[in-house]
Amino acid sequence: MDRRWLAGRELSPGADFRLFCLPYAGGGAAVYRAWQEAAPAGVQVLALEPPGRGTRLREAPFRRVAPLIRSVAEALAGALDRPYALFGHSMGGLLAFELARALRRRPVRQPAHVFVSAAASPGTAPTRPLLHCATDDEIRRRLVELGGTPPDLLANVELMELMLPVLRADFAVLETYEYRDETPLSVPLTVLGGRADRIVPPKALDGWQRHTSAGSRLRLFPGDHFYLHGATADLMSTVMRDSGAAALAGPARLPH
């Protein structure tokens, strides 16, 4: 396992179930910092850290889906030795879906469940101007509209200089993505969203059901596109219930 993807964390040998979490555009492993505390005993939450942010700040970020997914799939090969699920929010939701499709082409254990949060179903036509080729000011204005970036961060010139190349790369990942039709996943799918999300409204989530032959569920939470920041406990309960992880978890609390 390439520990760079785990932000330096170790795989716990005592884990009965692992939850791999993929961040939204511009985010990193820190997005899921509180999730291990909310997880039941025996469940290890492993937030993935893509290049260009957090502990991998000096690495060049990916700009296309295919090489990004290939790198993640290769990195996780040694960590799929026990039941696990994939969770992704916004850009991370698309990546979780494509990662599940990539893993089924490999001789590895398949996920018990895939969770896609605040991500429009593949093939949905974009409704907003492209940002990966926009000016810095246009990207800043878009961040204000999205509402997920603290105002003090937007006002910090030095931090924004670090963030903008990563955001531009992540927007390129999303905006150059071309969905290719394949056989639906044979893994259950739970689709999640915020009831007041104007970026990916609930109706944009409907198309996900055709991407699995193992059944899908739609669960909506109070809040907007970044509803997950105020719903950690409820999301963890949903993940544990839908994936069946609670039944697998052992008695010992895992280290954070």
Side-chain angles (χ1 to χ4, degrees), residues 3-205:
R3 290 178 61 240
R4 292 178 302 169
W5 283 96
L6 302 182
R9 290 191 62 197
E10 298 282 355
L11 295 174
S12 172
D16 298 295
F17 191 92
R18 290 180 177 135
L19 176 65
F20 296 100
C21 299
L22 294 122
Y24 48 75
V31 169
Y32 300 102
R33 182 178 290 126
W35 282 44
Q36 183 66 69
E37 186 67 34
V43 174
Q44 185 176 26
V45 179
L46 294 164
L48 301 187
E49 187 94 279
R53 66 215 78 200
T55 58
R56 307 181 69 180
L57 188 62
R58 296 184 182 278
E59 298 180 48
F62 286 95
R63 298 182 63 85
R64 296 293 184 270
V65 167
L68 173 53
I69 292 299
R70 185 164 54 249
S71 183
V72 178
E74 291 171 355
L76 293 185
L80 308 181
D81 57 338
R82 59 203 64 199
Y84 69 95
L86 305 175
F87 182 100
H89 182 81
S90 197
M91 179 185 78
L94 174 64
L95 297 180
F97 168 68
E98 285 295 340
L99 179 58
R101 299 214 297 181
L103 290 173
R104 71 176 173 181
R105 295 189 284 269
R106 294 170 176 255
V108 297
R109 181 192 290 266
Q110 298 300 294
H113 210 97
V114 176
F115 295 87
V116 173
S117 172
S121 59
T124 302
T127 58
R128 297 175 182 271
L130 301 182
L131 285 173
H132 72 277
C133 50
T135 67
D136 289 352
D137 286 341
E138 287 171 333
I139 293 178
R140 288 190 183 92
R141 284 195 293 271
R142 180 72 171 130
L143 292 177
V144 172
E145 292 175 13
L146 288 170
T149 308
D152 55 341
L153 176 56
L154 288 169
N156 189 311
V157 176
E158 291 182 354
L159 285 178
M160 287 304 298
E161 285 181 354
L162 292 173
M163 275 193 63
L164 283 170
V166 177
L167 283 164
R168 193 181 300 280
D170 285 354
F171 287 137
V173 166
L174 287 168
E175 294 168 354
T176 62
Y177 170 72
E178 294 183 8
Y179 170 70
R180 288 179 169 79
D181 199 21
E182 294 183 13
T183 303
L185 294 172
S186 57
V187 176
L189 184 66
T190 295
V191 183
L192 311 114
R195 291 192 180 93
D197 190 342
R198 294 180 299 171
I199 309 303
V200 182
K203 65 180 180 180
L205 304 173

